[in-house]
Amino acid sequence: MTQVSQEVTGIALSTTQIRELDTSTLVRELRQLLKLTQEQFAAQVGGTVVTVNRWENQRSKPSAMALRHIEALLNELTTSPIEIHRVGARSLLTQYFSHCSCSDSNN
């Protein structure tokens, strides 16, 4: 393997690790925002407590379907009567789902 391909491989590995960390952080931050246990959060997103624990501890990443559930939950929270939920959800949507079109006009 050449030096260039080793560097590229190193960069790709770093990017993968960052994505896992971001997913882990997203799951934990959303769960904490809602003040839910891992078991309660798992029920919200259609998973198991073991799966949520693995997501938070970077042992696995949420599937595309689980991420859609998480995004849908965040979208629901943007209209919550609880201000901290609205603000937190908008922040997480903007940070982790770049196609978010949420606005702070109802804040």
Side-chain angles (χ1 to χ4, degrees):
M1 191 181 279
T2 67
Q3 179 67 28
V4 172
S5 59
Q6 287 174 345
E7 288 175 15
V8 170
T9 303
I11 291 170
L13 243 161
S14 297
T15 303
T16 302
Q17 291 169 347
I18 290 169
R19 284 189 191 125
E20 287 174 5
L21 175 64
D22 287 347
T23 304
S24 169
T25 304
L26 165 64
V27 170
R28 180 171 280 124
E29 286 181 1
L30 175 56
R31 185 176 65 77
Q32 290 174 343
L33 173 69
L34 297 172
K35 297 185 184 336
L36 297 176
T37 64
Q38 288 182 340
E39 184 175 10
Q40 292 166 327
F41 183 77
Q44 286 283 321
V45 296
T48 67
V49 65
V50 171
T51 300
V52 171
N53 183 278
R54 287 180 181 158
W55 292 343
E56 288 190 6
N57 291 298
Q58 300 178 11
R59 286 181 282 172
S60 68
K61 296 190 308 185
S63 66
M65 184 188 317
L67 286 172
R68 284 192 297 272
H69 283 288
I70 290 168
E71 184 177 15
L73 179 57
L74 286 167
N75 280 314
E76 287 177 32
L77 288 172
T78 63
T79 60
S80 170
I82 302 169
E83 182 178 5
I84 194 164
H85 287 175
R86 287 191 313 269
V87 172
R90 287 179 183 129
S91 174
L92 291 173
L93 279 167
T94 301
Q95 186 174 356
Y96 294 98
F97 298 94
S98 59
H99 59 274
C100 172
S101 61
C102 47
S103 68
D104 290 333
S105 60
N106 294 327
N107 205 8

